[in-house]
Amino acid sequence: MAAGKVRDREGALLSLLQHPLRKRLLRFYVEAEGTLSPKELTLLANDPKISNVGYHVRVLAEKGAVELVETQPRRGSVEHFYEATDLVDEVPWGRAALGVGRAEPWG
C-alpha cells in the first residue's frame, strides 16, 4: 500500500479511536465472527440508548471501519447489520490500539 494511503487510513483510525465508545464498538466489530447491528451492540456495550450507538456506528461506517452488509425488517423498522472492514489490519498499530490480537492468516 502506498505511503500516502497508509497515512490516510492511520488518520481515519486515529480519529475514530479518540472517542471511547467508538473505540469499544470498533473492537466488538473486529472481534466478531460475522455481523452486528447497533441494537446488538447496545447489549454488548451496556448502553441503553440505541440512538447513541447507532450514531457512532454510522461514524465508523463513514470513516471506512465498518460496512453495511445486510438489512432486515423488524417490527415496522429496519435493522442494519455491519461488519468490520480491513481498516484496522491495514494500519500497522491498529490491532494493538484496540487491544486485540492478530488475525489468523488464511491458509
Side-chain angles (χ1 to χ4, degrees):
M1 184 180 305
K5 181 155 176 127
V6 170
R7 279 193 298 275
D8 290 345
R9 304 294 273 172
E10 286 179 335
L13 184 57
L14 188 59
S15 71
L16 293 172
L17 296 177
Q18 291 177 0
H19 192 284
L21 179 57
R22 251 191 307 263
K23 182 178 179 178
R24 286 183 62 212
L25 297 177
L26 183 54
R27 181 179 178 157
F28 289 137
Y29 276 114
V30 170
E31 293 178 330
E33 298 283 329
T35 62
L36 293 169
S37 71
K39 182 179 179 182
E40 294 169 326
L41 288 170
T42 60
L43 300 173
L44 290 172
N46 199 27
D47 188 326
K49 296 181 182 176
I50 192 168
S51 61
N52 187 38
V53 172
Y55 166 78
H56 289 292
V57 170
R58 286 189 302 276
V59 173
L60 290 172
E62 289 169 6
K63 295 285 188 175
V66 299
E67 64 185 354
L68 179 65
V69 294
E70 183 182 2
T71 59
Q72 293 179 5
R74 295 277 194 249
R75 299 183 191 152
S77 67
V78 178
E79 191 168 4
H80 296 80
F81 293 86
Y82 297 82
E83 68 182 5
T85 64
D86 56 358
L87 173 68
V88 170
D89 291 322
E90 288 178 352
V91 174
W93 46 264
R95 284 188 171 265
L98 289 176
V100 295
R102 272 267 160 244
E104 291 298 319
W106 294 92

